[in-house]
Amino acid sequence: MHSFRSKPQVHIRADRKPSAVHATIAPSRPQQATAKKAPSVNARVQYVQPPPKGEDLFTYVYEKPENVDRTSNLEHVNTEVPFTDLRTIEDQSGEFTLGRNGFQLEKLHVPSDIDWDDDDDVKARYYPEVQELLKHTARASRVHIFDHTIRKGSAKSADGEQKDPDGKGQPVSRVHVDYTVKSGPERLQAVLPDEAERLMKTPFAVIQVWRPLRGPVDDSPLGMIDAASVAKEDLLPYAIHFPGRTGYNYAVSYNPEHRWYYAKGITTDEAYVFVCYDSRDGRARFTPHTGFKDPTTSPDALPRQSIEIRAYVFWENEPEQDIARLL
């Protein structure tokens, strides 16, 4: 089962070169509290109210069908939470790992002349760098990148509503996880249909790599919840209806036990690596995250520009095991 609410060990892995092999998917071990509480900034995020019993959450990203009375039944709850800056944590006796906390901050050096508006250039020159990073950080036998998104803009105030519920093209200002126990395996069948049956017998995960295109980032930073502080009841599955297909994400309900982190002034040679789905129990399987409006942001800050890569990661050298179908 998912590991919940243990105290986090803290070590920021942003000082390592991507060519070094990291044992980042590690067995859980006791957590240690920080020797001194790190400074934090309070900011508001959009959680979602749990639906009435028996009602399924949904949202349409195109014109809804005539027999549906609303575009979405997600009821946002604007909540102020403290974000701890990863760079200010004093006790580094432990470390954040993908397997325990669901995310890491890593170094990622890429060519400076990649044309981010040219998909072919991104795939030819950026994808291989990310594949190498994921093989080393996750100690994976295989990495298959299947999607990337460029975002340019600012996370709106938690008081506002996004015109596009999926947040395409701009930072997403709702706390969410991109995959669920249902959509993680289903998407694999769509991405690698000829191999999916075999690959689903081996441990696999969807891991995302998020990197700014210009920095240091001041506007709309990305915040992460320590997956060890998330209870399964906090994760609310909802359907996202696209033209021709339906995907599934988790919205997240507020829990005062959530531990929020961000990297103040993240630069273009740094990247978040975080787990969106893992087929195995007993580790961080889903990592909630969101863009947020940092109240300390300069009024002259340039709108954030970022790229996120989504990849299936496989451990084909490990014993076969059944997919964990429940939270």
Side-chain angles (χ1 to χ4, degrees), residues 1-9 24-25 28 31 47 86 95-104 175-177 179 206 223-235 250 252-253 255 257-262 272-278 280-290 327:
M1 62 186 296
H2 191 95
S3 299
F4 301 127
R5 297 179 186 154
S6 55
K7 294 288 185 180
Q9 288 186 302
T24 57
I25 301 289
S28 180
Q31 309 290 299
Y47 284 104
L86 289 168
E95 59 190 28
F96 283 110
T97 70
L98 295 179
R100 181 171 51 251
N101 311 103
F103 74 94
Q104 296 174 195
V175 186
H176 68 287
V177 182
Y179 288 88
V206 180
M224 317 290 296
I225 299 181
D226 180 352
S229 69
V230 179
K232 63 182 180 180
E233 295 81 10
D234 303 338
L235 301 176
Y250 283 124
V252 182
S253 62
N255 184 332
E257 298 294 325
H258 290 165
R259 296 189 290 267
W260 282 96
Y261 296 92
Y262 80 121
Y272 283 114
V273 180
F274 60 97
V275 179
C276 293
Y277 166 86
D278 197 302
R280 300 163 291 182
D281 273 333
R283 62 206 311 111
R285 301 183 63 201
F286 305 100
T287 309
H289 54 281
T290 186
L327 281 175

Side-chain angles (χ1 to χ4, degrees), residues 3-54:
S3 299
F4 301 127
R5 297 179 186 154
S6 55
K7 294 288 185 180
Q9 288 186 302
V10 184
H11 177 69
I12 303 168
R13 304 179 76 108
D15 59 347
R16 301 198 178 183
K17 296 180 180 179
S19 59
V21 177
H22 309 326
T24 57
I25 301 289
S28 180
R29 59 179 183 266
Q31 309 290 299
Q32 298 178 18
T34 55
K36 180 179 180 182
K37 182 175 175 58
S40 65
V41 61
N42 290 334
R44 290 203 288 178
V45 299
Q46 287 188 340
Y47 284 104
V48 166
Q49 183 72 27
K53 187 175 182 180

